[in-house]
Structure formats: structure tokens, C-alpha cells
Amino acid sequence: MAVSLLQTIRVGAYVVKQHLKGNKRYPLVLMLEPLFRCNLACAGCGKIDYPDEILNQRLSVAECLEAVDECGAPVVSIAGGEPLLHKELPEVVEGIIARKKFVYLCTNALLLEKKMHLYKPNPYFQFSVHLDGDLEDHDRSVCQDGVYERAVAAIRKAKEAGFRVSINTTLFDNADPARVAAFFDDINKVGIDGIMVSPGYAYERAPDQAHFLNRQKTKELFRDIFRRGKGKGWGFNQSPLFLDFLAGNQSYHCTPWGNPTRNYFGWQRPCYLLGEGFTKTYKELMETTDWDAYGTGNYEKCANCMVHSGYEATAVTDSIRNPMKVLVASIRGPKTEGDMVADIPLDKQRPAEYVFSRHVQDAMAKLQHEKPVAQEVEAAE
């Protein structure tokens, strides 16, 4: 199964409990970024374009586990940067598993074979390897030759060692549906445990701004891909209704609080993709963010977004409220023919505000202030 029975039961029970308690907003997946440093420089990435002083910072084990406890989400996705560069990450993972949270350790897999022995197979743990297509497409996406072959070799080693391994695939407007479908066929033969797929988001800080998808192109692309996958048994570790949404059959509004993000700067407002301010605590994030100011139809930066971190939680909520709908989608798969649902109108959205550099400036000022103090301590020792 793309999503294990254990995870299905535990996460399902958590979601039902939230609904029975009347909680309108609750976290589903904690996006934990213990560092921004990476050993690749992908053209579509908006997470690593920071000064070295910030790239050198790490969340401590205590800070990571405090975020897990504070948030309470049943699933933790450890992203970055490249998480395997964090020397204390095995301790972080052990601490999260001890709390009976499901851990997806996202990695480009360049260090996976070297670091694999530091982790143990566990029903609550899996590696999620970044693969944006076949050899040619993925190596172009990550701007380095040879990465695809190393990643696939590492996946095989991890599977041989008994780990659950899924892939996460981000698609851009140059994606060829036939090649993507062939890639899914091939990578399934390797024995992966699931596929997470999403359209790319137009990060402000991404070097390549030319290849992000708009919503109409996203729907057409995914319909074409899903059409080619009928009956092939591709296992997606995502809600059937989210996949149906990607194909233009569901009209959903973003629920950014479903995937709150914690990184070096704090709790990121409002979501994993936009950094428009940070709070010190999860409680402050939830209580002080003007959630209605964001999302497609509300904010220009969100106009073309259909990313899982914004809409997966919406689909899960819909699944609980409409079990027959998700049952039909599970059996039928995403609908690939016929009219698409009407999209959210954009005529009332507020214009974009470009505020991403403020937190960087504040962090740099803080680090520059702390550096002389640290040097004085070292001199005294």
C-alpha cells in the first residue's frame, strides 16, 4: 500500500477526532525544516537562496522535538535544504518516532547510502526521495548530471535494507505527459512504496521563474498523465480527492494551516511556500495569522497554486465529510474526460506584497550581533 494501513488508521482517527471536537483548523502534516543548506542547487527551488551565515544555521534536536510537540500533527515531513546534512538528524527522527508520529524524511538521496546505517526500518518511518522524472528530466531539474542514477541506486539499497521508500515528484510546464507516465512505470518496477506528485510553485527566490505552471495547464497536464496511468497500479500516497483536484474535478480552497512550517526563522506565515512573516510559537501562528487574506482568489501570489501543502488537507477534510465521494474517486481514479469544474475567480484578489527579505535582514542582524559575543566567550576559554 502507498499509505500503510497503520498510518491510514491512526491519521484517519486523528482527523475524525478533530471534526468531532469541532476544530475548524488543525494541522495534518508538520513541515519541519531543520536547515536550509543543500548539496544541490535546483533551478526551481526557493528554499536555499540565503547568505552563508543563515545556511550554516541548524535547528537543534530540542527545537525540532519542541515543534513536533507544540504542533501535534500526526505526520512530520522533514525537508530542507538537504536534511541528511544535519548531523543530529538521526536523534531527531528517533524522538519523533518515539512520539508515534509518522516521519517522511525528504532527501535528494546523494547521501542516502552513506547515512542509511544511522537509521532503522520502522513502520513510522520512510525516506521520501526527490525525483522529478526520468534520468534526463531529473538531472536537468536539479542542474547536475548523474543525480538520477545515484538516487535510484540508493533507493534500491534502502529497499534491500528493509526501509519504506517513496518518491516526491514536482512537475513544471515543460513536463511531457508521456515521459512522466513512462517514468512512473519504470520507478514502480524498482519497488517504491508510493508516489507524491505536485505541480511546482513559483517561489519568489527560485532562479528559474519561467517554467511554473498556471492552474489550467496544471489540470490539463495531470489529466493527460492520469489518463496514461489507468490500470497500471501507480500507488500515490495522497488523497484520491487531491489527485482528482489536480485533474480539475474538485473546486477546493487552500487550507494552509494543515501543513504548518517550522524552520530557523520560526513558524512560517502563512504556509510552506510563502514566507510573509514568522512567529515564535505555533499558537501565535494559528491565532494571529489572517488566514482569509491568503489562498487562490484572495491573494495574487496564490493565484496559480495547486500544491499539496495547501490543498491535501482540504481534500482530506472533504473525504471525512463525504465518504462516498472519496470511495468513488478511489475506485475510479481521477476523472480524465469531460468538463472541468469552474475555477475560483481572481477578480477580488489583493495584489502581491514582496516582503520575503525582511526576515533575512533581521536574522543577519541578530547573527552579526551574536558573533562578537561568541568570539569573546571563545577568547575567555
Side-chain angles (χ1 to χ4, degrees):
M1 295 176 64
V3 178
S4 70
L5 181 61
L6 175 64
Q7 182 175 335
T8 300
I9 293 172
R10 289 187 66 90
V11 174
Y14 166 85
V15 173
V16 169
K17 181 179 179 180
Q18 299 304 314
H19 281 254
L20 292 176
K21 292 169 66 176
N23 291 338
K24 181 182 178 182
R25 299 187 178 112
Y26 57 87
L28 189 65
V29 179
L30 167 61
M31 309 296 291
L32 181 64
E33 297 178 314
L35 79 173
F36 294 123
R37 176 73 69 182
C38 192
N39 49 3
L40 287 175
C42 306
C45 180
K47 291 287 184 177
I48 63 172
D49 184 24
Y50 293 110
D52 281 340
E53 292 87 344
I54 291 176
L55 293 177
N56 290 336
Q57 303 304 308
R58 308 284 189 269
L59 290 182
S60 67
V61 174
E63 288 173 320
C64 289
L65 297 181
E66 181 183 18
V68 172
D69 293 338
E70 191 178 358
C71 171
V75 180
V76 180
S77 177
I78 303 178
E82 171 49 51
L84 292 181
L85 290 170
H86 196 302
K87 293 181 179 179
E88 296 178 306
L89 195 65
E91 189 176 346
V92 173
V93 170
E94 287 181 8
I96 300 173
I97 291 174
R99 288 161 167 77
K100 301 298 182 183
K101 310 289 186 181
F102 294 93
V103 181
Y104 286 74
L105 200 170
C106 303
T107 175
N108 58 38
L110 292 181
L111 292 172
L112 184 52
E113 290 193 56
K114 180 181 179 180
K115 302 275 191 175
M116 196 183 306
H117 70 282
L118 300 174
Y119 302 87
K120 297 177 182 178
N122 189 289
Y124 286 87
F125 175 73
Q126 69 179 276
F127 292 109
S128 178
V129 176
H130 172 213
L131 281 178
D132 285 347
D134 60 21
L135 186 151
E136 181 181 338
D137 286 343
H138 183 65
D139 285 359
R140 181 179 63 247
S141 176
V142 301
C143 306
Q144 184 173 313
D145 292 338
V147 175
Y148 177 87
E149 291 180 327
R150 291 175 64 181
V152 172
I155 290 173
R156 294 184 190 276
K157 290 284 189 181
K159 289 301 299 176
E160 290 172 4
F163 289 98
R164 286 182 62 87
V165 184
S166 58
I167 65 165
N168 61 81
T169 300
T170 304
L171 300 178
F172 300 90
D173 75 346
N174 55 359
D176 179 344
R179 288 180 67 124
V180 175
F183 162 65
F184 285 163
D185 288 340
D186 291 341
I187 200 65
N188 267 312
K189 294 174 184 176
V190 177
I192 60 169
D193 295 289
I195 299 170
M196 177 175 288
V197 65
S198 184
Y201 176 77
Y203 287 107
E204 297 170 29
R205 305 180 74 91
D208 181 3
Q209 292 289 322
H211 292 103
F212 293 107
L213 289 155
N214 62 39
R215 286 172 74 93
Q216 185 60 34
K217 286 185 177 179
T218 294
K219 298 169 187 177
E220 292 169 356
L221 171 64
F222 279 94
R223 278 202 171 191
D224 203 343
I225 293 170
F226 293 148
R227 187 180 299 119
R228 297 168 189 270
K230 294 286 186 181
K232 291 189 174 181
W234 296 343
F236 293 97
N237 49 7
Q238 293 164 292
S239 164
L241 290 181
F242 173 72
L243 300 177
D244 210 39
F245 163 72
L246 290 180
N249 305 312
Q250 304 293 332
S251 181
Y252 285 150
H253 287 273
C254 175
T255 48
W257 54 85
N259 287 55
T261 299
R262 172 69 164 95
N263 55 38
Y264 170 70
F265 299 115
W267 291 92
Q268 184 165 307
R269 196 197 318 265
C271 67
Y272 179 69
L273 304 167
L274 288 179
E276 300 208 338
F278 293 80
T279 65
K280 292 183 178 180
T281 67
Y282 172 75
K283 185 174 185 290
E284 182 185 356
L285 172 74
M286 294 300 292
E287 293 181 353
T288 65
T289 301
D290 183 3
W291 298 109
D292 293 334
Y294 298 98
T296 303
N298 295 333
Y299 191 32
E300 185 180 358
K301 288 184 184 179
C302 306
N304 288 314
C305 182
M306 295 181 71
V307 179
H308 63 283
S309 59
Y311 291 91
E312 179 70 60
T314 312
V316 170
T317 298
D318 192 19
S319 299
I320 297 298
R321 292 174 177 169
N322 299 285
M324 288 304 299
K325 183 200 284 192
V326 72
L327 178 61
V328 170
S330 300
I331 297 171
R332 179 201 66 199
K335 185 165 72 75
T336 58
E337 307 297 338
D339 294 337
M340 297 182 185
V341 298
D343 214 335
I344 298 171
L346 305 177
D347 57 309
K348 296 182 180 179
Q349 68 181 9
R350 65 186 177 95
E353 297 179 25
Y354 294 95
V355 298
F356 62 83
S357 63
R358 293 176 191 169
H359 61 279
V360 178
Q361 295 167 355
D362 292 343
M364 288 295 293
K366 178 183 177 183
L367 289 170
Q368 289 168 3
H369 174 73
E370 292 174 348
K371 187 175 181 180
V373 175
Q375 289 174 341
E376 289 176 10
V377 172
E378 289 176 4
E381 293 176 345

